[in-house]
Structures are given as C-alpha cells and as structure tokens.
Coordinates of all heavy atoms in Angstrom, one line a residue:
D1 N -5.6 -20.6 3.1 CA -6.3 -21.8 3.5 C -6.8 -22.5 2.2 O -7.6 -21.9 1.5 CB -7.4 -21.4 4.4 CG -8.2 -22.6 4.9 OD1 -9.0 -23.1 4.1 OD2 -8.0 -23.0 6.0
S2 N -6.3 -23.6 1.9 CA -6.6 -24.3 0.7 C -8.0 -24.8 0.6 O -8.5 -25.3 -0.4 CB -5.6 -25.4 0.5 OG -5.7 -26.4 1.5
E3 N -8.8 -24.8 1.7 CA -10.1 -25.3 1.7 C -11.1 -24.4 0.9 O -12.2 -24.9 0.6 CB -10.7 -25.4 3.2 CG -9.9 -26.5 4.0 CD -10.4 -26.5 5.4 OE1 -11.4 -25.9 5.8 OE2 -9.7 -27.3 6.2
I4 N -10.8 -23.2 0.6 CA -11.7 -22.3 -0.2 C -11.5 -22.6 -1.7 O -12.3 -22.1 -2.4 CB -11.5 -20.9 0.2 CG1 -10.2 -20.3 -0.3 CG2 -11.7 -20.6 1.6 CD1 -10.3 -19.4 -1.5
V5 N -10.5 -23.4 -2.1 CA -10.3 -23.6 -3.5 C -9.9 -25.0 -3.7 O -9.1 -25.6 -2.9 CB -9.3 -22.6 -4.1 CG1 -8.0 -22.7 -3.5 CG2 -9.3 -22.7 -5.6
S6 N -10.3 -25.6 -4.8 CA -9.8 -26.9 -5.2 C -9.0 -26.7 -6.5 O -9.5 -25.9 -7.4 CB -10.9 -28.0 -5.3 OG -11.8 -27.6 -6.2
A7 N -7.9 -27.4 -6.6 CA -7.0 -27.2 -7.8 C -6.7 -28.6 -8.3 O -6.3 -29.5 -7.6 CB -5.8 -26.4 -7.5
Y8 N -6.8 -28.8 -9.6 CA -6.4 -30.0 -10.2 C -6.0 -29.8 -11.7 O -6.4 -28.9 -12.3 CB -7.6 -31.0 -10.1 CG -8.8 -30.6 -10.8 CD1 -9.1 -30.9 -12.2 CD2 -9.8 -29.8 -10.2 CE1 -10.2 -30.5 -12.8 CE2 -10.9 -29.3 -10.9 CZ -11.1 -29.7 -12.2 OH -12.3 -29.3 -12.8
P9 N -5.1 -30.6 -12.2 CA -4.3 -31.6 -11.4 C -3.2 -30.9 -10.7 O -2.8 -29.8 -11.0 CB -3.7 -32.5 -12.5 CG -3.6 -31.6 -13.7 CD -4.8 -30.7 -13.6
N10 N -2.7 -31.4 -9.6 CA -1.6 -30.9 -8.8 C -0.8 -32.1 -8.3 O -1.2 -32.8 -7.4 CB -2.2 -30.1 -7.6 CG -1.1 -29.3 -6.9 OD1 0.1 -29.3 -7.4 ND2 -1.4 -28.8 -5.8
P11 N 0.4 -32.3 -8.9 CA 1.1 -31.4 -9.8 C 0.5 -31.3 -11.2 O -0.3 -32.2 -11.6 CB 2.5 -32.0 -9.9 CG 2.4 -33.4 -9.5 CD 1.2 -33.5 -8.6
T12 N 0.8 -30.2 -12.0 CA 0.2 -30.0 -13.2 C 1.3 -29.7 -14.3 O 2.4 -29.4 -14.0 CB -0.7 -28.7 -13.1 OG1 -1.3 -28.5 -14.4 CG2 0.1 -27.5 -12.7
Y13 N 0.9 -29.9 -15.6 CA 1.9 -29.6 -16.7 C 1.4 -28.4 -17.5 O 2.1 -27.4 -17.5 CB 2.0 -30.8 -17.6 CG 2.6 -32.0 -16.9 CD1 1.8 -33.0 -16.2 CD2 4.0 -32.2 -16.8 CE1 2.3 -34.1 -15.6 CE2 4.5 -33.3 -16.2 CZ 3.7 -34.2 -15.6 OH 4.3 -35.3 -14.9
D14 N 0.3 -28.5 -18.2 CA -0.2 -27.5 -19.1 C -1.2 -26.6 -18.6 O -1.2 -25.4 -18.8 CB -0.7 -28.2 -20.4 CG 0.4 -28.9 -21.2 OD1 1.6 -28.5 -21.0 OD2 0.1 -29.7 -22.0
E15 N -2.2 -27.2 -18.0 CA -3.4 -26.4 -17.5 C -3.7 -26.7 -16.0 O -3.4 -27.8 -15.5 CB -4.6 -26.8 -18.3 CG -4.5 -26.4 -19.8 CD -5.8 -26.7 -20.5 OE1 -6.5 -27.7 -20.2 OE2 -6.1 -25.9 -21.4
L16 N -4.2 -25.7 -15.4 CA -4.6 -25.8 -14.0 C -6.0 -25.3 -13.9 O -6.4 -24.2 -14.3 CB -3.7 -24.9 -13.1 CG -4.0 -25.0 -11.6 CD1 -3.7 -26.4 -11.1 CD2 -3.1 -24.0 -10.9
Y17 N -6.9 -26.2 -13.3 CA -8.3 -25.9 -13.1 C -8.5 -25.6 -11.7 O -8.1 -26.3 -10.8 CB -9.1 -27.1 -13.5 CG -9.0 -27.5 -14.9 CD1 -8.0 -28.3 -15.4 CD2 -9.9 -27.0 -15.9 CE1 -7.9 -28.7 -16.7 CE2 -9.8 -27.3 -17.2 CZ -8.7 -28.2 -17.6 OH -8.6 -28.5 -19.0
L18 N -9.2 -24.5 -11.4 CA -9.5 -24.0 -10.1 C -11.0 -23.9 -9.9 O -11.7 -23.4 -10.8 CB -8.8 -22.6 -9.8 CG -7.3 -22.6 -10.1 CD1 -6.9 -21.1 -10.1 CD2 -6.6 -23.3 -9.0
H19 N -11.5 -24.3 -8.7 CA -12.9 -24.1 -8.4 C -12.9 -23.5 -7.0 O -12.4 -24.0 -6.0 CB -13.6 -25.4 -8.3 CG -15.1 -25.2 -8.0 ND1 -16.0 -24.7 -8.8 CD2 -15.7 -25.5 -6.8 CE1 -17.2 -24.6 -8.2 NE2 -17.0 -25.1 -7.0
L20 N -13.4 -22.2 -7.0 CA -13.5 -21.5 -5.8 C -14.8 -21.7 -5.0 O -15.8 -21.6 -5.7 CB -13.3 -20.0 -6.1 CG -11.9 -19.5 -6.5 CD1 -11.6 -19.9 -7.9 CD2 -11.8 -18.0 -6.3
K21 N -14.7 -21.9 -3.7 CA -15.9 -22.0 -2.9 C -16.4 -20.7 -2.4 O -17.5 -20.5 -2.0 CB -15.6 -22.9 -1.7 CG -15.3 -24.4 -2.2 CD -15.0 -25.3 -1.1 CE -14.5 -26.6 -1.6 NZ -13.7 -27.4 -0.7
E22 N -15.5 -19.7 -2.5 CA -15.9 -18.3 -2.1 C -15.4 -17.4 -3.3 O -14.5 -17.7 -4.0 CB -15.1 -17.8 -0.8 CG -15.6 -18.6 0.4 CD -14.8 -18.1 1.6 OE1 -14.4 -17.0 1.6 OE2 -14.7 -18.9 2.6
S23 N -16.1 -16.3 -3.5 CA -15.7 -15.4 -4.6 C -14.4 -14.7 -4.2 O -14.1 -14.4 -3.1 CB -16.8 -14.4 -4.9 OG -17.0 -13.6 -3.8
A24 N -13.6 -14.4 -5.3 CA -12.4 -13.6 -5.2 C -12.4 -12.7 -6.4 O -13.0 -13.0 -7.4 CB -11.2 -14.5 -5.1
Q25 N -11.6 -11.6 -6.3 CA -11.5 -10.6 -7.4 C -10.3 -10.9 -8.2 O -10.3 -10.5 -9.4 CB -11.5 -9.2 -6.9 CG -12.8 -8.8 -6.2 CD -12.7 -7.4 -5.6 OE1 -11.7 -7.0 -5.2 NE2 -13.9 -6.7 -5.6
V26 N -9.3 -11.4 -7.6 CA -8.0 -11.6 -8.4 C -7.3 -12.8 -7.8 O -7.4 -13.2 -6.7 CB -7.1 -10.3 -8.2 CG1 -6.7 -10.1 -6.8 CG2 -6.0 -10.4 -9.2
I27 N -6.6 -13.5 -8.8 CA -5.7 -14.6 -8.4 C -4.3 -14.1 -8.7 O -4.0 -13.6 -9.8 CB -6.0 -15.9 -9.2 CG1 -7.4 -16.4 -9.0 CG2 -4.9 -16.9 -8.9 CD1 -7.8 -17.5 -9.9
V28 N -3.4 -14.2 -7.8 CA -2.0 -13.8 -8.0 C -1.1 -15.1 -7.8 O -1.2 -15.8 -6.8 CB -1.6 -12.8 -6.9 CG1 -0.1 -12.4 -7.1 CG2 -2.4 -11.5 -7.0
V29 N -0.3 -15.3 -8.8 CA 0.6 -16.5 -8.8 C 2.0 -15.9 -8.6 O 2.5 -15.1 -9.3 CB 0.6 -17.3 -10.1 CG1 1.5 -18.4 -10.1 CG2 -0.9 -17.7 -10.4
S30 N 2.7 -16.4 -7.5 CA 4.0 -16.0 -7.2 C 5.0 -17.2 -7.1 O 4.5 -18.3 -6.8 CB 4.0 -15.4 -5.8 OG 3.1 -14.3 -5.7
D31 N 6.2 -17.0 -7.5 CA 7.2 -18.0 -7.4 C 7.7 -18.1 -5.9 O 7.3 -17.3 -5.1 CB 8.3 -17.9 -8.4 CG 9.2 -16.6 -8.2 OD1 9.1 -16.0 -7.1 OD2 9.9 -16.2 -9.1
M32 N 8.6 -19.0 -5.6 CA 9.0 -19.2 -4.2 C 9.9 -18.0 -3.7 O 10.1 -17.9 -2.5 CB 9.7 -20.5 -4.0 CG 8.7 -21.7 -4.3 SD 7.2 -21.6 -3.3 CE 7.8 -21.9 -1.7
A33 N 10.4 -17.2 -4.6 CA 11.1 -16.0 -4.2 C 10.2 -14.8 -3.9 O 10.7 -13.8 -3.6 CB 12.1 -15.7 -5.3
G34 N 8.9 -15.0 -4.2 CA 7.9 -14.0 -3.9 C 7.6 -13.1 -5.1 O 6.9 -12.1 -4.9
R35 N 8.2 -13.4 -6.2 CA 8.0 -12.6 -7.4 C 6.6 -12.9 -8.0 O 6.3 -14.1 -8.2 CB 9.0 -12.8 -8.5 CG 10.4 -12.3 -8.1 CD 11.4 -12.5 -9.2 NE 11.6 -14.0 -9.4 CZ 12.7 -14.6 -9.0 NH1 13.7 -14.0 -8.5 NH2 12.7 -15.9 -9.2
I36 N 5.8 -11.9 -8.4 CA 4.5 -12.2 -9.0 C 4.8 -12.5 -10.5 O 5.4 -11.7 -11.2 CB 3.6 -10.9 -8.9 CG1 3.2 -10.7 -7.5 CG2 2.3 -11.1 -9.8 CD1 2.5 -9.4 -7.2
V37 N 4.4 -13.7 -10.9 CA 4.6 -14.2 -12.3 C 3.4 -14.2 -13.1 O 3.5 -14.3 -14.3 CB 5.3 -15.6 -12.3 CG1 6.7 -15.5 -11.6 CG2 4.5 -16.6 -11.6
L38 N 2.2 -14.1 -12.5 CA 1.0 -14.1 -13.2 C -0.1 -13.6 -12.3 O -0.1 -13.8 -11.1 CB 0.6 -15.6 -13.6 CG -0.7 -15.9 -14.3 CD1 -0.7 -15.2 -15.6 CD2 -0.8 -17.4 -14.5
Q39 N -1.0 -12.8 -12.9 CA -2.1 -12.2 -12.1 C -3.3 -12.2 -13.0 O -3.2 -11.9 -14.2 CB -1.8 -10.8 -11.7 CG -2.8 -10.1 -10.8 CD -2.3 -8.9 -10.2 OE1 -1.2 -8.8 -9.8 NE2 -3.2 -7.9 -10.1
K40 N -4.4 -12.7 -12.5 CA -5.7 -12.8 -13.3 C -6.8 -12.2 -12.5 O -7.1 -12.6 -11.4 CB -5.9 -14.3 -13.6 CG -7.2 -14.5 -14.5 CD -7.3 -15.9 -14.9 CE -8.5 -16.2 -15.7 NZ -8.5 -15.5 -17.0
E41 N -7.5 -11.2 -13.2 CA -8.7 -10.6 -12.7 C -9.9 -11.6 -12.9 O -9.9 -12.2 -14.0 CB -9.0 -9.3 -13.3 CG -7.9 -8.3 -13.2 CD -7.9 -7.6 -11.8 OE1 -9.0 -7.4 -11.3 OE2 -6.8 -7.2 -11.4
L42 N -10.8 -11.7 -12.0 CA -11.9 -12.5 -12.1 C -13.2 -11.7 -12.3 O -13.3 -10.6 -11.8 CB -12.1 -13.4 -10.9 CG -10.9 -14.3 -10.6 CD1 -11.2 -15.2 -9.4 CD2 -10.6 -15.2 -11.8
D43 N -14.1 -12.3 -13.0 CA -15.4 -11.6 -13.2 C -16.2 -11.8 -11.8 O -16.0 -12.8 -11.1 CB -16.2 -12.3 -14.3 CG -15.6 -12.1 -15.6 OD1 -15.0 -11.0 -15.8 OD2 -15.7 -12.9 -16.5
P44 N -17.1 -10.8 -11.5 CA -17.9 -11.0 -10.3 C -18.6 -12.3 -10.2 O -19.3 -12.7 -11.2 CB -18.8 -9.8 -10.3 CG -18.2 -8.8 -11.2 CD -17.4 -9.6 -12.2
G45 N -18.5 -13.0 -9.1 CA -19.2 -14.3 -9.0 C -18.5 -15.5 -9.7 O -19.0 -16.6 -9.6
Q46 N -17.4 -15.2 -10.4 CA -16.8 -16.3 -11.1 C -16.2 -17.3 -10.1 O -15.5 -17.0 -9.2 CB -15.6 -15.8 -12.0 CG -15.0 -16.8 -12.8 CD -13.9 -16.2 -13.8 OE1 -13.7 -15.0 -13.8 NE2 -13.2 -17.1 -14.5
R47 N -16.5 -18.6 -10.3 CA -16.1 -19.6 -9.3 C -15.2 -20.7 -10.0 O -14.5 -21.4 -9.3 CB -17.3 -20.3 -8.7 CG -18.2 -19.5 -7.9 CD -17.5 -18.9 -6.7 NE -18.4 -17.9 -6.0 CZ -19.0 -18.2 -4.9 NH1 -18.8 -19.3 -4.3 NH2 -19.7 -17.2 -4.3
T48 N -15.2 -20.7 -11.3 CA -14.3 -21.7 -12.0 C -13.3 -20.9 -12.9 O -13.7 -20.0 -13.6 CB -15.2 -22.6 -12.9 OG1 -16.1 -23.3 -12.1 CG2 -14.3 -23.7 -13.6
V49 N -12.0 -21.3 -12.8 CA -11.0 -20.6 -13.5 C -10.1 -21.7 -14.1 O -9.8 -22.7 -13.5 CB -10.1 -19.7 -12.6 CG1 -9.0 -19.0 -13.3 CG2 -11.0 -18.7 -11.8
V50 N -9.7 -21.5 -15.4 CA -8.7 -22.3 -16.0 C -7.5 -21.5 -16.3 O -7.6 -20.5 -17.0 CB -9.2 -23.0 -17.3 CG1 -8.1 -23.8 -17.9 CG2 -10.5 -23.8 -17.0
L51 N -6.3 -21.8 -15.8 CA -5.1 -21.2 -16.2 C -4.4 -22.1 -17.2 O -4.1 -23.2 -17.0 CB -4.1 -21.0 -14.9 CG -4.7 -20.2 -13.8 CD1 -3.7 -20.2 -12.7 CD2 -5.0 -18.8 -14.2
S52 N -4.2 -21.5 -18.4 CA -3.6 -22.4 -19.5 C -2.4 -21.7 -20.2 O -1.3 -22.0 -19.8 CB -4.7 -22.8 -20.5 OG -5.4 -21.6 -21.0
Q53 N -2.7 -20.8 -21.1 CA -1.6 -20.3 -22.0 C -0.4 -19.7 -21.1 O 0.7 -20.1 -21.3 CB -2.1 -19.3 -23.0 CG -1.0 -18.8 -23.9 CD -1.5 -17.8 -24.9 OE1 -2.7 -17.6 -25.0 NE2 -0.6 -17.2 -25.7
K54 N -0.7 -18.8 -20.3 CA 0.3 -18.1 -19.5 C 0.9 -19.1 -18.5 O 2.1 -19.1 -18.1 CB -0.1 -16.9 -18.8 CG -0.5 -15.8 -19.8 CD -0.8 -14.5 -19.2 CE -1.1 -13.5 -20.3 NZ -0.6 -12.2 -20.1
W55 N 0.1 -20.1 -18.0 CA 0.6 -21.1 -17.1 C 1.6 -22.0 -17.8 O 2.6 -22.3 -17.2 CB -0.6 -21.9 -16.6 CG -0.2 -22.9 -15.6 CD1 -0.1 -24.3 -15.8 CD2 0.1 -22.7 -14.2 NE1 0.3 -24.9 -14.7 CE2 0.4 -24.0 -13.7 CE3 0.2 -21.6 -13.4 CZ2 0.8 -24.2 -12.3 CZ3 0.5 -21.8 -12.1 CH2 0.8 -23.0 -11.6
R56 N 1.4 -22.3 -19.0 CA 2.3 -23.2 -19.8 C 3.7 -22.5 -19.9 O 4.7 -23.2 -20.0 CB 1.8 -23.4 -21.2 CG 0.7 -24.5 -21.2 CD 0.4 -24.8 -22.7 NE -0.9 -25.4 -22.8 CZ -2.0 -24.8 -23.1 NH1 -2.0 -23.5 -23.6 NH2 -3.2 -25.4 -23.1
E57 N 3.7 -21.2 -20.0 CA 4.9 -20.4 -20.2 C 5.8 -20.4 -18.9 O 7.0 -20.0 -19.0 CB 4.6 -19.0 -20.6 CG 3.9 -19.0 -22.0 CD 3.4 -17.6 -22.3 OE1 3.6 -16.7 -21.6 OE2 2.7 -17.5 -23.4
L58 N 5.3 -20.7 -17.8 CA 6.0 -20.7 -16.5 C 7.0 -21.8 -16.4 O 6.8 -22.9 -17.0 CB 5.1 -20.8 -15.3 CG 4.1 -19.6 -15.1 CD1 3.2 -19.9 -13.9 CD2 4.8 -18.3 -15.0
E59 N 8.1 -21.6 -15.8 CA 9.2 -22.6 -15.5 C 8.6 -23.6 -14.6 O 7.7 -23.4 -13.8 CB 10.4 -21.9 -14.9 CG 11.1 -20.9 -15.8 CD 11.7 -21.5 -17.0 OE1 12.3 -22.6 -16.9 OE2 11.7 -20.8 -18.1
Q60 N 9.2 -24.8 -14.6 CA 8.9 -25.8 -13.6 C 9.2 -25.3 -12.2 O 10.2 -24.6 -12.0 CB 9.7 -27.1 -13.9 CG 9.3 -27.8 -15.2 CD 10.2 -29.1 -15.3 OE1 11.0 -29.4 -14.5 NE2 9.9 -29.8 -16.4
G61 N 8.4 -25.7 -11.3 CA 8.7 -25.3 -9.9 C 7.4 -25.2 -9.1 O 6.3 -25.5 -9.5
L62 N 7.6 -24.8 -7.8 CA 6.5 -24.6 -6.9 C 6.0 -23.2 -6.9 O 6.8 -22.3 -6.9 CB 7.0 -25.0 -5.5 CG 5.9 -25.2 -4.4 CD1 4.9 -26.3 -4.8 CD2 6.6 -25.5 -3.1
Y63 N 4.7 -23.0 -7.0 CA 4.1 -21.7 -7.0 C 3.1 -21.5 -5.9 O 2.5 -22.5 -5.5 CB 3.5 -21.4 -8.4 CG 4.5 -21.3 -9.5 CD1 4.9 -22.4 -10.2 CD2 5.1 -20.1 -9.8 CE1 5.9 -22.4 -11.2 CE2 6.0 -20.0 -10.8 CZ 6.4 -21.1 -11.5 OH 7.4 -21.0 -12.5
I64 N 2.9 -20.3 -5.5 CA 1.9 -20.0 -4.5 C 0.8 -19.2 -5.2 O 1.1 -18.1 -5.8 CB 2.5 -19.2 -3.3 CG1 3.5 -20.1 -2.6 CG2 1.3 -18.8 -2.3 CD1 4.3 -19.3 -1.5
L65 N -0.4 -19.7 -5.1 CA -1.6 -18.9 -5.7 C -2.3 -18.3 -4.5 O -2.6 -19.0 -3.5 CB -2.5 -19.9 -6.4 CG -2.1 -20.3 -7.8 CD1 -0.9 -21.2 -7.8 CD2 -3.3 -21.0 -8.5
T66 N -2.5 -17.0 -4.6 CA -3.3 -16.3 -3.5 C -4.5 -15.7 -4.2 O -4.5 -15.3 -5.3 CB -2.4 -15.2 -2.9 OG1 -1.9 -14.3 -3.8 CG2 -1.3 -15.7 -2.1
F67 N -5.6 -15.8 -3.4 CA -6.9 -15.3 -3.9 C -7.3 -14.1 -3.0 O -7.3 -14.2 -1.8 CB -7.9 -16.4 -3.7 CG -7.4 -17.7 -4.4 CD1 -6.6 -18.6 -3.8 CD2 -7.8 -17.9 -5.8 CE1 -6.2 -19.7 -4.5 CE2 -7.3 -19.0 -6.4 CZ -6.5 -19.9 -5.8
K68 N -7.6 -13.0 -3.7 CA -7.8 -11.7 -2.9 C -9.1 -11.1 -3.4 O -9.5 -11.2 -4.5 CB -6.7 -10.8 -3.2 CG -5.3 -11.2 -2.7 CD -4.3 -10.2 -3.0 CE -2.9 -10.7 -2.5 NZ -1.9 -9.7 -2.8
N69 N -9.7 -10.4 -2.4 CA -10.8 -9.4 -2.6 C -10.3 -8.1 -2.2 O -9.9 -7.9 -1.0 CB -12.1 -9.8 -1.8 CG -12.9 -10.9 -2.4 OD1 -12.9 -11.0 -3.7 ND2 -13.5 -11.7 -1.6
Q70 N -10.2 -7.1 -3.1 CA -9.6 -5.8 -2.9 C -8.2 -6.1 -2.3 O -7.4 -6.8 -3.0 CB -10.5 -5.0 -2.0 CG -11.8 -4.7 -2.7 CD -12.8 -4.0 -1.7 OE1 -12.6 -3.9 -0.5 NE2 -13.9 -3.6 -2.3
N71 N -7.9 -5.7 -1.1 CA -6.6 -6.0 -0.5 C -6.7 -7.1 0.5 O -5.7 -7.3 1.3 CB -6.0 -4.7 0.1 CG -5.6 -3.7 -1.0 OD1 -5.2 -4.1 -2.1 ND2 -5.8 -2.4 -0.7
E72 N -7.8 -7.8 0.7 CA -8.0 -8.8 1.7 C -7.7 -10.2 1.1 O -8.2 -10.5 0.1 CB -9.4 -8.7 2.2 CG -9.7 -9.7 3.3 CD -11.1 -9.6 3.7 OE1 -11.7 -8.5 3.8 OE2 -11.7 -10.7 4.0
L73 N -6.9 -10.9 1.8 CA -6.5 -12.3 1.4 C -7.7 -13.2 1.7 O -8.2 -13.3 2.8 CB -5.3 -12.8 2.1 CG -4.8 -14.2 1.8 CD1 -4.3 -14.3 0.4 CD2 -3.7 -14.6 2.8
V74 N -8.2 -13.9 0.7 CA -9.3 -14.9 0.8 C -8.7 -16.3 1.1 O -9.2 -17.0 1.9 CB -10.2 -14.9 -0.4 CG1 -11.2 -16.0 -0.3 CG2 -10.8 -13.6 -0.7
G75 N -7.6 -16.6 0.5 CA -7.0 -17.9 0.7 C -5.7 -18.1 -0.2 O -5.4 -17.2 -1.0
S76 N -5.0 -19.2 0.0 CA -3.8 -19.4 -0.7 C -3.7 -21.0 -0.9 O -4.3 -21.7 -0.2 CB -2.6 -18.8 -0.1 OG -2.4 -19.5 1.2
L77 N -2.8 -21.3 -1.9 CA -2.6 -22.7 -2.3 C -1.3 -22.8 -3.0 O -0.9 -22.0 -3.7 CB -3.7 -23.1 -3.3 CG -3.8 -24.5 -3.9 CD1 -4.1 -25.5 -2.8 CD2 -4.7 -24.5 -5.0
K78 N -0.6 -23.9 -2.7 CA 0.7 -24.2 -3.4 C 0.4 -25.2 -4.5 O -0.3 -26.2 -4.3 CB 1.7 -24.8 -2.4 CG 2.2 -23.8 -1.4 CD 3.3 -24.5 -0.5 CE 3.7 -23.5 0.6 NZ 4.6 -24.1 1.5
V79 N 1.0 -25.0 -5.6 CA 0.9 -25.8 -6.8 C 2.2 -26.1 -7.4 O 3.0 -25.2 -7.6 CB -0.1 -25.2 -7.9 CG1 -0.1 -26.0 -9.1 CG2 -1.4 -24.9 -7.3
L80 N 2.4 -27.4 -7.8 CA 3.7 -27.8 -8.4 C 3.5 -27.8 -9.9 O 2.6 -28.5 -10.4 CB 4.1 -29.2 -7.9 CG 5.4 -29.7 -8.5 CD1 6.6 -28.8 -8.2 CD2 5.7 -31.1 -7.9
K81 N 4.3 -27.1 -10.6 CA 4.3 -27.0 -12.1 C 5.4 -27.9 -12.6 O 6.6 -27.7 -12.2 CB 4.5 -25.6 -12.6 CG 4.8 -25.5 -14.1 CD 3.6 -25.4 -14.9 CE 3.8 -24.9 -16.3 NZ 4.9 -25.4 -17.1
K82 N 5.1 -28.9 -13.4 CA 6.1 -29.8 -13.9 C 6.4 -29.5 -15.4 O 5.7 -28.9 -16.0 CB 5.7 -31.3 -13.8 CG 5.7 -31.7 -12.4 CD 5.6 -33.2 -12.3 CE 6.0 -33.7 -10.9 NZ 6.2 -35.1 -10.9

C-alpha cells in the first residue's frame, strides 16, 4: 500500500527520497523478475531515507520497493528508474 510512504521524484534518475508514515526495519528493492537488487536496513524510528549511490548503479526500469518489519510486510511501492 503506497499510502504508508511517499517517494519523490518518481520517475527518478540519481536519487530517490522516501518518507515513511510508519516505521519499518528494512527496505527491499526488487526488479520486475523478483530479484532483490538492493536492501537497506533502517535505524529504529527512521522515517526519512535517501537512496543514492547504489540506486544510481541500478539499470533503468521499474522496481518494487517493499517495506518490512521482521518478516511482516508494511507496504510496497513501484518506482521507475530512468
């Protein structure tokens, strides 16, 4: 549910800014084939995240960001990388 997070800009080129309305422990970025291409652990209570260096290294395409607490899905969002 994309309502728990706002992402900008979307589509994005170099950096992706995320603001979480609920806390999450990890962000997992997957490509459309379901492969995990990036995973970022979050500090407790962290609500703002910037994906930059590793995000820049990803190929152009559509990615699914999932936000998890332990093994529970908090939310997900699709982002276009140009």
Side-chain angles (χ1 to χ4, degrees):
D1 183 281
S2 62
E3 294 178 7
I4 68 110
V5 63
S6 57
Y8 60 92
N10 188 8
T12 181
Y13 295 92
D14 293 339
E15 294 183 326
L16 181 64
Y17 297 87
L18 304 168
H19 180 73
L20 287 75
K21 295 176 184 157
E22 295 181 23
S23 63
Q25 293 176 329
V26 66
I27 298 172
V28 178
V29 180
S30 304
D31 63 16
M32 294 310 290
R35 293 180 295 251
I36 295 173
V37 296
L38 179 61
Q39 187 166 320
K40 182 170 178 66
E41 301 280 329
L42 301 180
D43 294 328
Q46 184 177 357
R47 299 296 175 107
T48 303
V49 180
V50 179
L51 299 179
S52 55
Q53 182 177 353
K54 293 188 183 221
W55 182 258
R56 282 187 203 103
E57 297 170 3
L58 297 178
E59 299 290 323
Q60 293 181 357
L62 191 60
Y63 292 90
I64 299 173
L65 282 65
T66 54
F67 305 88
K68 297 179 181 181
N69 279 327
Q70 296 169 352
N71 291 326
E72 181 180 322
L73 180 66
V74 174
S76 64
L77 177 72
K78 289 182 184 173
V79 175
L80 180 61
K81 166 88 167 43
K82 289 194 164 195

